[in-house]
């Protein structure tokens, strides 16, 4: 582990006992105490580069005040433009930001764009009420008023998820501050249930990264190995990559759970990133609050089992970095300048790659996903429905195997980063996933979609994630 990774781990672990301290505090102490801790962590890890986050916050707040009816698009343009300046600092002869500054800036970008969208929704709702002449009651998730500058700063620097996520909306943050009877919200048992696999994942990460170091792929000797060895190597690399993020995101979720952050009654059907989807009246007494069943779905960032064992590429995306996936779907995919699912996905993946950074490996990896999505969708709709139950089960096992190999392949671009290293590795395995995806897409187009009635009767195989996907 690098010194930066040790620092991230320490920050995540410190967040857990801090969370227990804040859980039963009042709204004022929660707001300003959590902001003070977050700002302290930012100053400690980023130093003078903290100025970047402050400039981004002030610019967004100014746009919200100036143009509340269109501040979402303006905030998106401002924060994404600042990311370009932020990453070009070394080219301009200015001090390059630290990795911690980059992490803070990434999460802050998501939060500020979401905040601007929530303010715009409030402004639209207020104008609608004025036009109608009466109020229909507060819609689900609507803000009570426009946050002040200090309230915006407290949300932006809240220590929860400040470097690793999960992302959360300002409405979710307010619900935590105003949580009725927080002592009735369970924390310890949900935390232990969530945390138990993290040590195992950590050991698997250390073992796999030691036995199969990524640096070996950058050495000339690696390319003297036989083709099967080169093909196999991407499997443990992606395995180590997954284990590393599983540990980080589980620890980040545990920090939220310790504070009672993101806890909602199960009846509210909260979604990762978005919060409740059903109106659920707050409990009126401690006894009522204690009788409710709660979950922490709103801050859930990873579904390890479904990520590994879902069948399709599309499902795998939904269960990885779940709160960020919600943000991308809500603010990028829905407003994409295209109607086709594949083109919308390509637009979303392009902006996702830009959000991650300017390294060519990000773009090569993320823009391979739309090709895989188009291939699996076309081939499944053309062939799977023609098979019997046994054939469909075999199809799904093969589909799952190929899905995992596609993610292995794309991960290499994500971790190698440079154009030369990524293309060198992909060329050494003959661009196998690209070739296979193009062949599958061509075969699916050639066979056509077939009869829709028969296709419905043999429709999609249940996977561990399918029930949740239908709800979404």
């Amino acid at each position: 582990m690098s010194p930066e990774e040790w620092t991230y781990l320490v920050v995540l672990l410190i967040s857990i006992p801090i969370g227990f301290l804040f859980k039963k505090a009042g709204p004022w102490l929660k707001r300003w105490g959590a902001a003070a801790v977050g700002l302290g962590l930012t100053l400690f890890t980023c130093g003078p580069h903290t100025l970047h986050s402050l400039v981004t916050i002030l610019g967004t707040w100014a746009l919200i005040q100036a143009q509340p009816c269109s501040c979402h698009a303006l905030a998106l343009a401002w924060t994404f433009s600042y990311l370009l300046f932020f990453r070009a600092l070394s080219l301009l002869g200015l001090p390059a930001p630290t990795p911690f500054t980059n992490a803070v800036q990434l999460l802050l970008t998501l939060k500020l764009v979401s905040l601007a969208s929530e303010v715009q929704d409030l402004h639209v709702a207020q104008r609608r009420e004025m036009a109608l002449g009466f109020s229909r009651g507060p819609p689900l998730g609507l803000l009570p008023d426009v946050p002040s500058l200090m309230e915006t700063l407290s949300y932006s620097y809240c220590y929860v998820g400040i470097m690793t996520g999960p992302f959360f909306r300002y409405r979710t943050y307010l619900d935590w501050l105003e949580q009725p009877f927080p002592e009735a919200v369970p924390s310890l048992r949900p935390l232990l249930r969530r945390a138990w696999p993290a040590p195992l994942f950590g050991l698997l990460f250390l073992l796999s990264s030691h036995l199969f170091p990524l640096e070996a792929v950058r050495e000339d000797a690696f390319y003297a190995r036989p083709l099967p060895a080169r093909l196999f190597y991407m499997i443990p690399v992606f395995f180590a990559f997954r284990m590393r993020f599983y540990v980080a995101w589980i620890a980040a979720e545990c920090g939220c759970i310790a504070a009672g952050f993101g806890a909602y009654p199960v009846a509210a059907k909260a979604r990762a990133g978005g919060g409740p989807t059903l109106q659920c009246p707050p409990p009126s007494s401690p006894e009522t609050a204690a009788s409710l069943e709660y979950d922490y779905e709103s801050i859930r960032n990873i579904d390890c089992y479904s990520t590994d064992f879902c069948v399709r590429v599309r499902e795998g995306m939904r269960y990885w970095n779940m709160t960020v996936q919600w943000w991308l779907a809500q603010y990028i995919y829905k407003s994409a300048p295209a109607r086709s699912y594949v083109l919308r996905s390509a637009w979303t993946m392009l902006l996702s790659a830009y959000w991650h950074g300017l390294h060519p490996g990000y773009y090569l990896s993320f823009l391979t996903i739309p090709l895989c999505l188009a291939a699996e969708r076309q081939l499944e709709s053309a062939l799977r429905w023609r098979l019997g139950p046994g054939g469909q089960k075999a199809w799904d096992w093969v589909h799952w195997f190929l899905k995992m190999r596609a993610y292995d392949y794309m991960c290499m671009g994500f971790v190698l980063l440079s154009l030369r290293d990524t293309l060198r590795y992909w060329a050494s395995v003959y661009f196998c996933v690209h070739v296979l995806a193009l062949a599958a897409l061509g075969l699916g187009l050639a066979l056509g979609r077939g009869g829709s009635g028969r296709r419905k009767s043999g429709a999609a195989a249940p996977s561990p994630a399918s029930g949740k996907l239908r709800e979404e």
Side-chain angles (χ1 to χ4, degrees), residues 312-326:
R312 298 169 184 82
V313 172
R314 181 180 183 180
E315 293 171 359
M317 291 169 55
R318 287 174 180 255
Y319 293 97
W320 174 269
N321 206 359
M322 293 165 68
T323 58
V324 174
Q325 294 297 336
W326 181 88

Side-chain angles (χ1 to χ4, degrees), residues 79-253:
T79 55
F80 272 54
S81 298
Y82 195 87
L83 279 179
L84 181 61
F85 165 74
F86 174 79
R87 284 159 179 161
L89 288 173
S90 58
L91 300 177
L92 299 173
L94 298 172
T98 66
F100 307 109
T101 313
N102 183 63
V104 170
Q105 197 71 21
L106 289 181
L107 270 298
L108 184 64
T109 297
L110 303 184
K111 290 164 78 173
L112 292 175
V113 171
S114 175
L115 175 62
S117 177
E118 291 180 86
V119 170
Q120 183 171 308
D121 289 344
L122 173 63
H123 182 76
V124 170
Q126 289 173 339
R127 292 183 65 179
R128 186 182 296 117
E129 284 182 11
M130 291 176 61
L132 293 173
F134 65 92
S135 173
R136 296 181 177 178
L140 180 66
L142 199 67
L143 298 183
D145 47 43
V146 178
S148 67
L149 175 58
M150 294 304 293
E151 289 169 338
T152 302
L153 287 166
S154 72
Y155 166 62
S156 301
Y157 285 119
C158 177
Y159 80 94
V160 176
I162 194 166
M163 291 185 184
T164 58
F167 156 78
F168 51 88
R169 301 168 67 217
Y170 187 76
R171 178 71 261 182
T172 304
Y173 171 69
L174 277 186
D175 291 342
W176 176 61
L177 297 181
E178 301 164 359
Q179 196 174 59
F181 315 110
E183 66 279 357
V185 177
S187 286
L188 184 58
R189 284 189 178 181
L191 187 151
L192 294 175
R193 283 199 304 268
R194 189 61 180 136
W196 76 263
L200 174 61
F201 292 151
L203 288 174
L204 291 173
F205 160 69
L206 293 173
L207 181 64
S208 55
S209 59
H210 174 72
L211 294 176
F212 301 94
L214 176 65
E215 288 306 311
V217 184
R218 294 190 171 98
E219 298 171 358
D220 293 338
F222 176 83
Y223 297 95
R225 300 183 186 186
L227 176 61
R230 298 196 303 270
L231 277 169
F232 171 77
Y233 207 86
M234 63 184 180
I235 298 175
V237 167
F238 183 46
F239 179 81
F241 180 83
R242 295 201 310 281
M243 296 303 109
R244 174 172 172 257
F245 277 96
Y246 287 175
V247 171
W249 285 333
I250 288 174
E253 288 180 37

